[in-house]
Structures are given as structure tokens and as C-alpha cells.
Amino acid sequence: MNFSKLNMSIRWKMLGGFVLSALIPSILAYTELSKVAILIISLFIAIGLALFSIFRIMNTIKHVQEHFEPLAGQGTGEEEFDELRLIDESLSHFEEYLEQNRKEDLAGTHSEVKQSAVLEQVYKANLQTGAPICAEVWELPNRRTTELVSSARLAGAEAKIVLTRAKEAIVADLETLKDFSGLDDSNRGILDFQIMILEDPSFMMEVDKLIGRGENLLSVLSRVFGKFTDQMASQEDTYMRERSADFHDLKQRLFEAIHDVSGSEAENRFAAGKGKIAICQHVLPSEVISLCNAGVAGIISLENTPSSHAQILLSSLNVSSLSSINNLPLGSLHGHTVLLDTMKGRLTIEPLPREIKKVMDEYASRKSDVITEKIVLSNGDEFNVGVTVNNPQIEVTHAVDSQPDFVGLFRTEMHFLGQKELPTEDELIHTYQNLIDSFPDKLVVVRMLDLGGDKISGFEPTSGSEENPCMGLRSMRLLLEYPQLFKLQLRAILKASHKQVCLLYPMVSGWSELRKISDFVDETVKELNDEGFAAERPLKGIMVEVPSIVARFEDYVEHFDVFNIGTNDLVQYTLAADRNNNAVSNYYKSTHPSILSMIHKVSTLCKQKDKRAIICGQMGGDLRALPLLLGLGIRNISVNWPVVNELKSLVVEQNIEECEQLAEEALKCLSIEEVERVMKI
Ligand code: PEP
Ligand code: MG
């Protein structure tokens, strides 16, 4: 809606009145009423319609005036005309405001209906960061467009002065934020990018030119930023598309700064959130920082995506937060107490005191005794606990905090799962660098794409067409078949690497493919060197998950640095039992004597040749299996970050001689049941 449309709507109402007043007497003329009666009835109808129209028009004008009070009655004549022009320019904001109110009204009605159901529920979040927290929920108020309307009169020379001061204030703010502890290089990159835009002469020249013509400051900024945001949003590159949010964010910052600089007394939007958990539909990066500065206890954002900058910030600032939650009724939570269990990604409304205590105690016990010293077993052997990372953008802070000895498995599928398009090399470098740089002096085992089976991407050529995908064109087989995919990922890993990065090849079954893989890696290293990038041949490892590798392990042990025993697949392929099929779960057991013998063989040969054997399947996270694994000679286990410390504290309690006796007994067993009896599970 704009001002001329408003006039149009008034005109239509008047025209409607005229037409009705003319039609009704004509219809009445066909009845048997006398002319006097027709005249009186028509007169009444005409007066009624006129009064109704006047009432509707007055009401509309009153509605407009109410929302533009700050501008009302501040001048006459020429000035008044100017005011009207400015109001007209601001009406697009007004429309946004009315729409906002309408949505809020709807949300209000909705929330009353849902209120009772909501309180009994626990909601699952897909993304989580920081420590668990329990506090009152506070709904982050929307930016009220009425606040902006008061600054809408800024034009000409005054607008230029206000804009310059607003820009200076934001740049100073952004520079301060760059010193915020916990920000990593990629976060600083976002802030630098915003500073660069503000200081870019060509970008601001367009704004200055339009202001110079006497146009209103806010509508100029809206238009110019809108144009750039749209341009970014239509880019093919996902990373660039996501940057359009940074433009939008910067525009909001500018609006707020202009509002502050031009002397409005609007309240700080964030101040009331102090000590509370802010909830909103979609948190912006600048809002994350402002909310932290305002001292909020936590943040709930219903719609964040893993690679959004807001989520990256939440993770690297270690803010207590839950994001990406389905069906959480935003409008119903204000004023309620909620518990954010950031270890399990659960949100509980009005939790019981004992639930809060349980979560907090669990967190405290994990946090208080983080074991940082190297673990030495009772026989003098070193033991290393690694961390498994599935999505660095979310897990990296937690992974570092859990103080692992190394990164035992970085599953790199996350960027590809369910995607219709391939990521770019730069996007991949950005993600890999984020993790690798967080462990600058530690072994980081980066697994090549293990797509296929149940890990489906939208672009995969074979997906859905294989009868038995787990044994089909999966993992390295897929990469060898599609060298452009192999090359894309390999180049990104090599570019993001340091000396202790190890390339891990999943689902390999023999030397035929290993030779091809090795040649491909050599070629790619050479290609990068020819391009002037000093790439080195990285450490290399294989997943021990296809039984053929174990059967002839002596053929492989000398040729690789690392052997990741992937018990999840090793069990399914050795025992011919689908890891995802409940009907065969009695057959799918890592305690099968054949699996124990395989682990024993791999660990023994690795020890002889001074190589690293790492348990990286779920068996490593099953703490009941720890004494047995230690007894079988395992000295490296990789688990998800929440289990790292628990595993370390359990390892230090073990007596290695007892573990070896247990393993000896288990290896003599004939069946799963016998092994489990020996293990007492
Ligand atoms: C495994 O197979 O044990 C493993 C760690 O890999 P994934 O679970 O990703 O197949
Ligand atoms: Mg596997």
C-alpha cells in the first residue's frame, strides 16, 4: 500500500455509494410502491450509504494518523506538503508494520489455543551450542517500523550528516566486536565484510547521489541495499547466496544507528532480555552479538541453518542456544521458564526442579573434571581418546573444549547430504579449514566422501537405482567413478591441510582401487604445485570395514599411517547383517567372536609396525566394551565430543592386566552369548 493507493481506495468506496444510490430507486420503480414511498426509501438508503462511507473514510484516516503521530501537526503549508510526501514514502514501512501487527494478532490467538498442550511437551532441536541453561523466555521484539518512521523525514544535507555519523558508529561497533573473545577468523571475516561495504566509496556513492537529489534517507537505503541483497540472493554459489543475509543485517544495523543518531528515544531492543532466554523466528548475526552484549542467558532461534553465520557465531561464542526446532509455538513461550539441554538438544517447558538438577549435574560432572593430561595405562602404554566430528560448523567449539588427543574421524558427508548442487571448492576449504585450524598440532583424520548406502545426496547419479546400495557404488568407488567429485573434495582438503592431516579412504576392499586412489592423489598434489600452491602429500589411512582388508591385513599394514576400524560397517559386512535393519539386530553384534579376532589381528600387526589402529565405530562409544577393547590391544578410540571425557575417566580406572585376561577368555568363546557372559553384559 502507498499513499496514492490509499486515495484510490477512498475513491472506490465513494463510487460504490453512487452506484448503489442510483440502482436501488430503479429497482424499486418496478414494484407496486407509490412514488412518494420510493422517494423516501431511496433518500434513507442514500443518506445511510453516505454516512457509512464517511465513517469508513474517517476511520481509515484516523488509523493512519495514529501510526504517524510523531509527524502530525508539526507544520503547515509547504512544510505540511513535505510531511505528506515523507509519509507517503514511509507508507511501504507502514504496510510492513500493519502486516506485522496482523501476524502478531494471529500468533496471539493461536498461542491461547495451544497454551495448555505446549506445557506438557519436550521439543527436539537440530542444532545446539553452549552450556545447558534454565531461565525465563523473552520474545525478542520485532523491529517496530513506527520507530523508523520518525527518522523517515531525514533528507538533504541533514541526512548526509546523520548517515556519516551512523556509519562511524557502526564501524566503531564492528571494530569493537572484532575483539570479542571467542571470535574466530571466519567470524571476523563477516565483520570485516560489513566494514568494507560501509567504507566502499562506489557503494555509498549511489546512496549519496540519491540523497543529494533530496530523496528520503531510509527509502534510499532500503532501495540500494534491497538491490544488492537481491543480487546476492540470486547467485548460484550457495556461500554467496548466504551472504545476502549479511547485507540485510547491515541494512538493519544502519536503520537502527540512524534512528539512534537522529535522536529518537526508542528503547534498546535488547535491554529487556538481560538474564533471559531470547526467542525469535530467525536470529541475525548482529542480533547474536547485541543479545550477548545485553547479557541474555541463551538464545532460541526456530529457523537457523547449520551454515548460517548466525549459527557459526552461536557456536564459536559458545552461546547457550537451541536452533532449528520444528513445531515450537513461538508466540506461546514468553514468560515461561524453559530448560535448554544443550547436550541432548532438548527444550523442556516449565521443567521440574529435579529435571533441571539432573541436566546441570550431568553437565558439571562433564565440565569440572575435563582430563587434560596424557593417559598412561597401568602397563606404561599411552592411550589416546579422539573426537569424531560430523559437522565442524556446529561441533568444533565443543570438540576443542572436550580436550581430545586427536580428531579420530571427520565425516565429510554433511556438506553433500540431501544437496541438489555440489558445493564449491571455496566453500569446502572454508569448512575444512575451520576444523583443521582448530587442532593445529594434532592428528586430524579427514575421511573422503562416504556417500552411498544410506547417505544420499541429491546429485548422486546412482541414488535410488541400485538394488543393494550398501554394497554398491559407494564411498571411494563412487569417487573413482566420478573423478570431478573426487578432485573437488581432494583439492579442498589439500589446500586446508597441515602436516598432521591424514586422508582416510572409506570402504576400500583391495589394492586394485587403492592403487588408483594413490595415483589420483599424487596427480592432484602435482596439479596444485603446478598452480603454485605448495601442497604436500598428506598422511594416509584406510577404513578397516570390509573384511577382505582384515583377511590380508599384512599386505596393507606397512603402506598406511592410520587404520580406522569402522566397526559399524565391519560388523554388517562380516556378519551379513544390515546395520539399519531391526529384524536382524540379534545377528548384528560387535561382540561376535569373529569381530573380536579381527580387531585383535589389526591391533597386533599395527603395534608390530608402529602404526595407529583407531576404533571409530559405535563400539568405541559403548563404554561396556572398553575393558575388552583395551585387552585386545586397542590404544586409540574416537568418540563424539560429549563422550570424550567420560571415556578418558573410565580408561584411567582400568587395570590393563585384567583387561588382557578378559580378552583372552573372550577370544576363546564360540558365540556372541558366551562373549557377553564373559563381559558380564
Ligand atoms: C563405521 O563404519 O564404523 C564408521 C565409522 O563409518 P560410518 O558409520 O560413517 O559408516
Ligand atoms: Mg563405515
Side-chain angles (χ1 to χ4, degrees):
M1 179 163 125
N2 61 30
F3 203 57
S4 44
K5 275 194 195 154
L6 187 72
N7 282 335
M8 281 303 284
S9 113
I10 293 172
R11 277 180 221 146
W12 279 113
K13 277 172 192 158
M14 291 176 77
L15 186 67
F18 278 127
V19 172
L20 273 177
S21 317
L23 268 182
I24 289 170
S26 325
I27 294 165
L28 289 176
Y30 285 97
T31 64
E32 294 191 346
L33 290 171
S34 70
K35 281 184 184 153
V36 179
I38 293 174
L39 192 68
I40 292 170
I41 294 172
S42 303
L43 257 175
F44 267 113
I45 291 173
I47 291 168
L49 280 171
L51 285 175
F52 178 71
S53 298
I54 290 168
F55 170 75
R56 291 300 305 266
I57 292 164
M58 295 299 289
N59 216 18
T60 310
I61 290 171
K62 188 165 152 258
H63 201 42
V64 173
Q65 276 174 346
E66 266 171 16
H67 291 290
F68 291 96
E69 218 137 89
L71 300 178
Q74 288 181 9
T76 50
E78 286 278 281
E79 265 176 59
E80 214 160 33
F81 174 76
D82 228 26
E83 295 290 75
L84 282 176
R85 182 177 64 81
L86 290 164
I87 291 176
D88 190 20
E89 282 175 4
S90 306
L91 274 171
S92 54
H93 297 307
F94 177 57
E95 181 190 21
E96 215 179 280
Y97 171 76
L98 288 180
E99 181 60 17
Q100 188 59 51
N101 276 359
R102 197 183 62 79
K103 279 193 193 145
E104 278 168 15
D105 286 352
L106 274 180
T109 335
H110 195 57
S111 70
E112 273 157 38
V113 178
K114 283 215 150 193
Q115 196 79 2
S116 56
V118 150
L119 297 181
E120 293 147 21
Q121 292 193 32
V122 171
Y123 292 86
K124 183 85 188 79
N126 293 315
L127 305 171
Q128 66 238 32
T129 62
I133 184 88
C134 184
E136 187 188 322
V137 174
W138 166 76
E139 198 175 325
L140 176 63
N142 284 306
R143 287 182 174 82
R144 293 281 168 168
T145 320
T146 39
E147 285 177 10
L148 297 171
V149 169
S150 61
S151 354
R153 287 178 296 142
L154 288 165
E158 193 194 353
K160 281 196 178 182
I161 296 167
V162 169
L163 179 62
T164 310
R165 281 173 43 209
K167 268 170 32 184
E168 283 167 3
I170 297 174
V171 172
D173 235 27
L174 292 171
E175 292 288 357
T176 318
L177 290 174
K178 277 167 62 186
D179 298 332
F180 211 77
S181 64
L183 277 190
D184 63 20
D185 285 350
S186 83
N187 303 144
R188 287 202 180 85
I190 306 170
L191 304 177
D192 279 333
F193 174 66
Q194 297 192 333
I195 295 174
M196 192 187 80
I197 296 169
L198 285 178
E199 290 179 342
D200 178 5
S202 62
F203 182 78
M204 280 302 164
M205 213 150 66
E206 196 166 344
V207 176
D208 282 350
K209 193 173 80 192
L210 295 170
I211 298 173
R213 282 196 211 145
E215 288 196 38
N216 157 289
L217 177 59
L218 292 189
S219 61
V220 167
L221 286 175
S222 256
R223 241 182 304 147
V224 175
F225 271 87
K227 195 173 89 186
F228 279 88
T229 310
D230 290 351
Q231 268 172 18
M232 294 297 248
S234 63
Q235 299 279 323
E236 285 201 352
D237 185 320
T238 327
Y239 180 81
M240 292 307 275
R241 269 203 311 276
E242 283 186 356
R243 298 297 66 78
S244 71
D246 297 337
F247 265 94
H248 180 69
D249 189 27
L250 188 58
K251 183 185 91 174
Q252 301 290 13
R253 271 178 181 281
L254 261 175
F255 272 28
E256 275 175 11
I258 288 167
H259 185 55
D260 291 347
V261 170
S262 62
S264 158
E265 271 147 37
E267 282 175 48
N268 173 346
R269 258 177 87 222
F270 306 96
K274 190 164 185 219
K276 298 182 180 160
I277 297 175
I279 186 168
C280 60
Q281 191 71 23
H282 192 142
V283 73
L284 295 170
S286 66
E287 287 173 334
V288 171
I289 295 171
S290 303
L291 284 166
C292 290
N293 282 342
V296 294
I299 298 177
I300 304 168
S301 172
L302 267 59
E303 279 179 359
N304 264 14
T305 56
S307 58
S308 67
H309 271 139
Q311 192 59 34
I312 299 171
L313 273 171
L314 287 170
S315 161
S316 47
L317 296 175
N318 207 21
V319 179
S320 300
S321 82
L322 293 183
S323 307
S324 178
I325 313 175
N326 289 336
N327 304 325
L328 184 69
L330 173 65
S332 309
L333 294 184
H334 187 86
H336 281 295
T337 297
V338 298
L339 171 65
L340 306 189
D341 179 351
T342 52
M343 295 174 290
K344 299 200 177 77
R346 286 152 59 100
L347 182 152
T348 313
I349 303 162
E350 300 295 351
L352 298 170
R354 70 179 140 79
E355 288 176 65
I356 305 171
K357 187 170 177 319
K358 188 165 163 256
V359 170
M360 297 306 170
D361 285 354
E362 192 185 333
Y363 183 72
S365 73
R366 276 186 195 175
K367 188 88 186 160
S368 64
D369 28 70
V370 171
I371 300 171
T372 51
E373 309 82 45
K374 266 244 141 306
I375 301 177
V376 180
L377 300 172
S378 55
N379 67 348
D381 284 359
E382 255 188 26
F383 189 92
N384 298 297
V385 176
V387 68
T388 296
V389 178
N390 302 302
N391 186 345
Q393 277 159 336
I394 300 167
E395 294 167 56
V396 78
T397 333
H398 294 304
V400 173
D401 284 354
S402 67
Q403 305 256 13
D405 298 306
F406 67 112
V407 179
L409 174 64
F410 169 25
R411 286 187 171 98
T412 56
E413 293 82 49
M414 192 51 103
H415 243 89
F416 295 80
L417 293 183
Q419 299 296 316
K420 288 255 175 293
E421 291 162 29
L422 286 176
T424 63
E425 187 178 307
D426 282 347
E427 280 176 85
L428 291 178
I429 295 173
H430 180 74
T431 310
Y432 299 159
Q433 200 91 61
N434 182 22
L435 175 76
I436 292 169
D437 287 355
S438 303
F439 295 92
D441 49 7
K442 292 199 157 81
L443 172 70
V444 181
V445 181
V446 183
R447 186 171 73 179
M448 299 300 299
L449 269 178
D450 187 18
L451 289 174
D454 56 351
K455 297 175 194 151
I456 308 292
S457 68
F459 55 82
E460 227 168 289
T462 57
S463 80
S465 61
E466 289 181 298
E467 227 171 81
N468 198 343
C470 279
M471 296 203 203
L473 202 58
R474 190 187 150 179
S475 307
M476 294 313 298
R477 299 174 184 181
L478 183 87
L479 293 185
L480 286 171
E481 194 71 18
Y482 295 95
Q484 70 281 22
L485 186 57
F486 194 175
K487 183 66 65 79
L488 169 74
Q489 193 193 22
L490 187 55
R491 283 175 61 95
I493 300 174
L494 291 172
K495 282 189 169 182
S497 276
H498 60 52
K499 282 200 176 348
Q500 292 207 60
V501 168
C502 174
L503 278 186
L504 180 70
Y505 311 133
M507 209 202 163
V508 286
S509 60
W511 271 112
S512 309
E513 70 256 41
L514 282 169
R515 288 213 177 89
K516 288 187 199 150
I517 295 167
S518 176
D519 290 347
F520 195 90
V521 174
D522 286 346
E523 270 167 39
T524 311
V525 170
K526 186 172 174 309
E527 180 184 292
L528 285 174
N529 286 329
D530 291 346
E531 286 173 22
F533 186 89
E536 284 179 34
R537 220 177 179 288
L539 299 173
K540 51 193 188 322
I542 56 173
M543 286 290 289
V544 179
E545 55 185 351
V546 179
S548 59
I549 297 291
V550 188
R552 295 280 293 262
F553 194 66
E554 47 286 358
D555 292 350
Y556 303 97
V557 67
E558 281 181 83
H559 302 274
F560 297 90
D561 307 288
V562 165
F563 296 89
N564 273 41
I565 307 177
T567 50
N568 305 342
D569 277 318
L570 186 63
V571 171
Q572 97 161 336
Y573 293 136
T574 306
L575 306 179
D578 183 347
R579 63 194 265 188
N580 298 318
N581 184 348
N582 259 334
V584 291
S585 59
N586 283 342
Y587 297 89
Y588 181 90
K589 293 271 185 185
S590 53
T591 44
H592 191 292
S594 301
I595 302 294
L596 305 190
S597 296
M598 288 173 146
I599 295 174
H600 189 229
K601 178 175 181 183
V602 172
S603 74
T604 310
L605 283 175
C606 280
K607 187 170 179 195
Q608 281 171 16
K609 301 289 175 191
D610 199 20
K611 303 288 173 151
R612 217 189 253 247
I614 304 167
I615 294 281
C616 67
Q618 291 304 100
M619 189 183 187
D622 179 354
L623 301 179
R624 297 170 310 167
L626 177 67
L628 181 58
L629 289 174
L630 283 169
L632 290 170
I634 290 298
R635 297 294 177 262
N636 303 277
I637 296 182
S638 187
V639 288
N640 291 336
W641 67 266
V643 190
V644 168
N645 206 46
E646 215 171 338
L647 180 60
K648 279 187 180 179
S649 45
L650 208 63
V651 174
V652 284
E653 285 170 15
Q654 302 302 313
N655 177 309
I656 202 70
E657 284 76 29
E658 285 174 17
C659 294
E660 279 167 358
Q661 270 170 23
L662 174 77
E664 215 179 293
E665 270 185 65
L667 284 170
K668 283 190 218 145
C669 294
L670 296 177
S671 67
I672 296 166
E673 293 73 24
E674 283 174 50
V675 172
E676 294 191 347
R677 253 197 308 276
V678 167
M679 290 170 72
K680 301 196 180 69
I681 58 172

